[in-house]
């Protein structure tokens, strides 16, 4: 299954903006909505083609409310994501899966800190958001890198427990 993840502009509540509008709500109605990151919305589709079609259907909303539209295709990588443009090129046959890994953007994943006194946690020191749901990691400061000899540079912009790699087209790559 191919995953699509939309990461919202920090100044908007992405879930609210997408589900409060009839056209985007209908486009998302057939999917199980997930929230892998802070202010994000993710769904599973059957293919890269279906993922790109969904993103095309939501384009008006993506332009206004979304910072990043990401696609994760297991036939390309089980851990790395693709930018929307790269997913589009892959679907159109302009690139082969093996030709997608040279240009990347690495995000730090910053996790919320549980309160030391136990307030704001679920009893297992897992942070809880104000709405009672588990707090999600936040994407921070992307580092643009170029894969050399099959290796990516380490993320060094800040101390984070984890990272998220997004493969880019050469045109999107801006070191």
């Amino acid at each position: 299954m191919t995953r699509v993840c939309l990461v919202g502009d920090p100044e908007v509540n992405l879930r609210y903006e997408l589900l409060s509008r009839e056209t985007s709500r209908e486009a998302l109605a057939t999917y199980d909505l997930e929230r892998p990151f802070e202010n994000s919305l993710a769904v599973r589709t059957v293919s890269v083609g279906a993922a790109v079609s969904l993103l095309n259907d939501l384009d008006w909303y993506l332009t206004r409310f979304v910072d990043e539209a990401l696609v994760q295709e297991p036939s390309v990588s089980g851990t790395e994501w693709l930018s929307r443009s790269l997913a589009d090129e892959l679907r159109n046959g302009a690139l082969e899966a093996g030709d997608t890994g040279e240009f990347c953007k690495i995000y730090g994943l910053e996790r919320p800190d549980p309160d030391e006194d136990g307030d704001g946690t679920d009893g297992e020191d897992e942070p809880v958001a104000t709405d009672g749901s588990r707090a999600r990691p936040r994407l921070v400061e992307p580092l643009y890198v170029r894969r050399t000899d099959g290796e990516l540079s380490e993320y060094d912009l800040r101390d984070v427990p984890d990272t998220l790699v997004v493969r880019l087209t050469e045109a999107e790559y801006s070191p």
Side-chain angles (χ1 to χ4, degrees):
M1 285 256 159
T2 303
R3 291 177 71 197
V4 173
C5 182
L6 307 175
V7 180
D9 182 305
E11 299 184 14
V12 300
N13 178 328
L14 181 63
R15 186 177 186 94
Y16 170 79
E17 295 298 346
L18 292 177
L19 298 180
S20 68
R21 290 170 167 76
E22 184 177 2
T23 304
S24 59
R25 186 175 53 246
E26 287 178 6
L28 295 167
T30 59
Y31 299 100
D32 290 327
L33 305 179
E34 301 170 14
R35 199 178 89 166
F37 310 110
E38 182 179 283
N39 199 25
S40 70
L41 190 75
V43 299
R44 294 183 188 277
T45 65
V46 295
S47 66
V48 171
V52 170
S53 292
L54 175 62
L55 293 171
N56 289 342
D57 289 347
L58 295 173
D59 192 56
W60 187 90
Y61 306 97
L62 300 183
T63 302
R64 286 154 183 80
F65 307 123
V66 172
D67 267 355
E68 287 285 340
L70 307 172
V71 176
Q72 188 176 47
E73 170 54 37
S75 68
V76 175
S77 173
T79 58
E80 296 181 356
W81 293 77
L82 309 173
S83 69
R84 178 183 180 184
S85 296
L86 190 61
D88 193 45
E89 286 188 15
L90 192 64
R91 180 206 53 181
N92 292 338
L95 285 174
E96 295 295 320
D99 298 331
T100 63
E102 182 177 357
F103 305 102
C104 298
K105 176 169 42 174
I106 304 174
Y107 281 98
L109 284 177
E110 190 172 75
R111 299 196 184 277
D113 294 325
D115 292 343
E116 290 181 18
D117 63 359
D119 293 337
T121 67
D122 68 357
E124 297 177 12
D125 289 335
E126 285 291 325
V128 177
T130 55
D131 66 359
S133 63
R134 288 194 190 279
R136 303 292 192 254
R138 181 170 49 107
L139 300 176
V140 295
E141 292 184 277
L143 173 68
Y144 289 82
V145 298
R146 194 169 185 172
R147 195 179 311 258
T148 53
D149 297 327
E151 298 293 321
L152 285 175
S153 301
E154 291 288 321
Y155 182 84
D156 61 2
L157 298 179
R158 63 167 79 180
D159 188 26
V160 292
D162 208 359
T163 58
L164 179 110
V165 177
V166 179
R167 296 179 180 198
L168 307 171
T169 63
E170 186 172 1
E172 293 173 300
Y173 177 75
S174 56

